[in-house]
Amino acid sequence: NITKSGECDNIFKRKYICMIKTQKYMCHVEFILTQVVGVNYLDVYVECSNKIRGISCLELVQNTLFTSGIKDEYIDIVSYDAISEYYCNKILPKLNKLERNLRKLLFSTYIVNYGTEYYRATISDDMQTRIKGRIQAKGTEQKKEIKRLQEFFYSLELADIQKLLFTPQWTDVESHSQQEFLANHSDLSKLSDEQLRKAFNQFTPQSDWDRFFSEKIPISDIESTIDEIRQYRNKAAHFKFYSKSEYEKSKRLIKTLNNAVIRAIRITEEKDFAATNMKAMVKALEGLSKTMRELRESLLKTVSDSITSIIETSMLSISKTMDEMAKTTLSGFVSEDFTEFDEDYELTEDQEL
């Protein structure tokens, strides 16, 4: 039952109050109707025991109004939407965590593959120019470079991340490999079908998603998922209309992607970091083995025949050991035992942080 709330000093304003039940809870609701030259303003205030119940009550009032036929008589314009405010405030922290985790994954992946030259090696000139413009580094070239390395990923917007991940392109490293291949095979007709297929697969432009991330994040519709999250992000970031159904859907998408990204970070840091270190060790061992072989050959030329066989046997044994170490260092060093992807997997608050 709605009752009029006494008299107002303003003859163009009327107040009405009522109690509205949402689920099993009662909320005190006040309607204030103001008229200004043919325009009606309706403010709805809710008092309830907590915010969730208050928002549920506002949703009930809004739905009742909008399904009452009022749209046939009036053009409804919402000026202050407390419901959208509530859901925007709820989704923004989840978007915050997702974007920070995405940046962490990008940083770890590009650094482990390209070192501090990462953005020159794999990021297009256009995007480099755009991001440098946002950073606006000042000082000497060295200081500018340090500033760009520090802030590059923090200057990426979600749309930039989409473009970075899903645009097929050659990296500088791949372009050089392609040029070297063509220089060594000027007549491609001499290559077998198998060699041509291998070269085609190797030198076909790839997106960074296919190059680095697809095996770590097995989400089949990943590009559309990120695009949909980006659209929800823009609505929340600009404080536009944001309904409960939009909140629930965006929360599910963000949860699925964020959990997958956290797993990919773990794989990168536990597997890829170790593999990169091992490759560096293998390269060092191969260099040492080569040095030992060269030393053996040098010694054999300068010593007497009486000790040649002793040196040759010893040095060959050492060199062979080095070669075997180089071949087997990576074998079994990195565990492949990672939890299988499950989009319903729940992370604890500590794991999310």
Side-chain angles (χ1 to χ4, degrees):
N1 293 325
I2 298 179
T3 59
K4 193 172 182 180
S5 178
E7 296 296 330
C8 291
D9 294 335
N10 187 338
I11 62 172
F12 300 105
K13 180 181 290 187
R14 284 170 288 174
K15 292 184 181 180
Y16 301 89
I17 59 172
C18 69
M19 298 298 292
I20 294 180
K21 186 176 183 179
T22 57
Q23 298 175 353
K24 59 182 180 179
Y25 302 101
M26 299 299 293
C27 294
H28 177 272
V29 183
E30 184 177 89
F31 298 90
I32 301 177
L33 182 64
T34 307
Q35 292 180 317
V36 181
V37 193
V39 176
N40 294 291
Y41 290 86
L42 176 63
D43 292 306
V44 181
Y45 295 91
V46 173
E47 291 182 13
C48 209
S49 56
N50 64 45
K51 187 176 288 187
I52 296 175
R53 293 167 191 166
I55 292 298
S56 295
C57 183
L58 277 176
E59 288 173 326
L60 177 61
V61 171
Q62 184 182 69
N63 184 60
T64 302
L65 282 171
F66 286 169
T67 57
S68 67
I70 196 172
K71 289 177 179 285
D72 297 331
E73 302 293 332
Y74 297 92
I75 298 173
D76 58 290
I77 301 174
V78 179
S79 58
Y80 191 102
D81 184 6
I83 297 171
S84 292
E85 178 185 34
Y86 174 75
Y87 289 117
C88 283
N89 288 339
K90 279 178 69 70
I91 203 65
L92 283 170
K94 301 179 188 303
L95 286 162
N96 184 7
K97 287 184 180 181
L98 173 62
E99 289 198 31
R100 291 179 186 279
N101 282 327
L102 272 172
R103 290 193 190 105
K104 180 177 174 63
L105 177 60
L106 290 173
F107 178 80
S108 297
T109 300
Y110 287 128
I111 288 295
V112 80
N113 283 281
Y114 300 112
T116 55
E117 297 292 316
Y118 67 89
Y119 72 81
R120 293 193 193 89
T122 188
I123 295 173
S124 69
D125 292 338
D126 288 345
M127 186 176 290
Q128 286 186 46
T129 301
R130 188 163 60 252
I131 301 304
K132 287 177 182 178
R134 292 175 191 163
I135 296 172
Q136 295 185 336
K138 298 178 180 179
T140 64
E141 283 303 315
Q142 184 180 17
K143 287 183 178 179
K144 288 180 182 178
E145 182 64 13
I146 291 172
K147 185 78 169 174
R148 289 165 187 158
L149 288 171
Q150 290 172 333
E151 298 186 10
F152 194 89
F153 284 112
Y154 272 93
S155 300
L156 290 176
E157 298 175 356
L158 201 53
D160 297 320
I161 292 175
Q162 278 183 274
K163 188 173 182 180
L164 178 63
L165 289 178
F166 300 113
T167 302
Q169 62 179 349
W170 282 310
T171 65
D172 286 347
V173 173
E174 290 166 343
S175 294
H176 293 151
S177 297
Q178 181 195 44
Q179 292 169 9
E180 185 178 345
F181 176 84
L182 293 173
N184 293 334
H185 303 87
S186 55
D187 187 356
L188 296 179
S189 64
K190 295 181 179 179
L191 297 177
S192 67
D193 289 345
E194 184 179 352
Q195 288 174 313
L196 287 171
R197 278 194 298 271
K198 183 178 179 181
F200 178 81
N201 291 333
Q202 182 178 355
F203 299 121
T204 297
Q206 280 187 303
S207 68
D208 279 1
W209 178 262
D210 291 330
R211 192 178 283 116
F212 298 124
F213 303 103
S214 59
E215 293 183 358
K216 298 177 185 177
I217 303 179
I219 300 177
S220 58
D221 54 348
I222 183 65
E223 190 168 0
S224 62
T225 296
I226 292 179
D227 188 62
E228 198 167 359
I229 290 173
R230 180 185 62 80
Q231 293 178 45
Y232 283 124
R233 178 199 181 279
N234 289 343
K235 290 189 71 173
H238 295 286
F239 310 115
K240 297 186 178 181
F241 293 119
Y242 214 95
S243 66
K244 182 178 182 179
S245 61
E246 289 176 311
Y247 169 75
E248 294 294 343
K249 184 174 183 181
S250 58
K251 182 178 73 170
R252 286 195 301 271
L253 290 170
I254 291 167
K255 174 188 170 184
T256 297
L257 181 56
N258 193 46
N259 288 354
V261 167
I262 290 171
R263 282 190 186 81
I265 291 171
R266 178 180 163 228
I267 293 171
T268 300
E269 294 181 349
E270 294 185 9
K271 179 180 177 182
D272 295 355
F273 283 12
T276 299
N277 286 332
M278 288 301 99
K279 286 177 183 177
M281 290 177 62
V282 167
K283 188 174 181 180
L285 287 170
E286 288 174 343
L288 182 57
S289 177
K290 180 181 177 183
T291 300
M292 295 297 292
R293 285 194 299 270
E294 291 172 351
L295 177 60
R296 176 178 63 84
E297 292 170 1
S298 176
L299 287 172
L300 290 176
K301 293 177 182 178
T302 58
V303 299
S304 63
D305 293 340
S306 59
I307 60 172
T308 294
S309 60
I310 299 174
I311 292 175
E312 186 170 12
T313 301
S314 300
M315 298 299 283
L316 280 173
S317 177
I318 295 172
S319 181
K320 184 177 179 182
T321 301
M322 293 294 180
D323 288 339
E324 289 300 319
M325 287 177 67
K327 291 176 183 177
T328 60
T329 297
L330 284 173
S331 177
F333 183 84
V334 180
S335 172
E336 298 287 345
D337 183 23
F338 290 100
T339 306
E340 193 145 335
F341 178 77
D342 175 10
E343 65 180 32
D344 293 324
Y345 174 77
E346 287 282 0
L347 289 172
T348 67
E349 186 173 347
D350 289 340
Q351 286 174 319
E352 287 183 343
L353 293 174

